[in-house]
Amino acid sequence: GAVVSQHPSRVICKSGTSVKIECRSLDFQATTMFWYRQFPKQSLMLMATSNEGSKATYEQGVEKDKFLINHASLTLSTLTVTSAHPEDSSFYICSVRGGTGELFFGEGSRLTVL
Amino acid sequence: GDSVTQMEGPVTLSEEAFLTINCTYTATGYPSLFWYVQYPGEGLQLLLKATKADDKGSNKGFEATYRKETTSFHLEKGSVQVSDSAVYFCALRVTGGGNKLTFGTGTQLKVEL
């Protein structure tokens, strides 16, 4: 299976700043990665599908200018939360689709916006 | 739309107790069903899955049977261990929906000695 690593695992930032979260596929070349968001005591919600070398596909209701996704290589996708506000505080999780179609998840990144 | 409903946690059990975590779903098509587990500090891992009605998924002593008539996929284990303490997520994926998973809210399990 694929090993997926996220960085940072925790980040605290001031309101109005931008934060970048990295998702790396350590042992698998991933043409597709997925970004999820999880609010406390709620489901994981798919935010967008990150496609290597092309634009990300965003789910309905997700602001693409707010959540910038870049998938510049087969092993790295980044999620940038621009002009973050307290309501953006959440747990962000990425996943990679492996060769068999199974999804492998990163350990998640907890963002707190003050 | 598609949705998954799980029992709320936390569920606290003594070691060797029987575990059931309920999961029911609604789906527009014919879904595949999954249980994922998230141990503290780690990412979600696939625990087991079932792709059609009456299939039983099993792994590490956990089992779940795809019940189309009750739209359920309850997770069971006959004898839990402290090491099973984790958060368990039920999820579905509808055929033709790519790899888009719809998750339940997760159920935290705490197993005590």
Side-chain angles (χ1 to χ4, degrees), chain A residues 78-95:
Chain A
T78 60
L79 168 68
T80 301
V81 183
T82 62
S83 186
H85 288 92
E87 57 266 29
D88 298 324
S89 298
S90 193
F91 197 55
Y92 294 90
I93 303 172
C94 72
S95 70

Side-chain angles (χ1 to χ4, degrees), chain A residues 34 36 38 41-46 59 91 93 97 101-108, chain B residues 4 36 38 41-46 49 89 93 98-106:
Chain A
F34 304 88
Y36 290 83
Q38 184 182 24
K41 299 185 179 181
Q42 295 189 29
S43 304
L44 278 75
M45 303 297 296
L46 179 65
E59 295 298 304
F91 197 55
I93 303 172
R97 182 169 58 195
E102 183 177 338
L103 288 178
F104 299 90
F105 289 82
E107 62 271 33
Chain B
V4 176
Y36 283 84
Q38 185 175 30
E42 300 183 17
L44 277 75
Q45 303 171 27
L46 179 64
K49 67 179 181 181
F89 292 88
R93 183 178 68 208
N99 256 351
K100 180 177 179 179
L101 287 170
T102 300
F103 286 89
T105 54

Side-chain angles (χ1 to χ4, degrees), chain B residues 18-76:
Chain B
F18 184 87
L19 168 71
T20 300
I21 299 178
N22 290 338
C23 171
T24 56
Y25 68 89
T26 58
T28 52
Y30 296 97
S32 295
L33 302 173
F34 305 83
W35 276 102
Y36 283 84
V37 57
Q38 185 175 30
Y39 298 104
E42 300 183 17
L44 277 75
Q45 303 171 27
L46 179 64
L47 180 60
L48 53 84
K49 67 179 181 181
T51 58
K52 61 183 187 295
D54 299 325
D55 268 1
K56 177 185 284 187
S58 61
N59 186 24
K60 299 181 181 180
F62 291 89
E63 294 184 339
T65 301
Y66 188 140
R67 300 287 188 197
K68 187 178 179 181
E69 63 276 14
T70 55
T71 61
S72 64
F73 193 54
H74 304 322
L75 182 68
E76 297 181 337

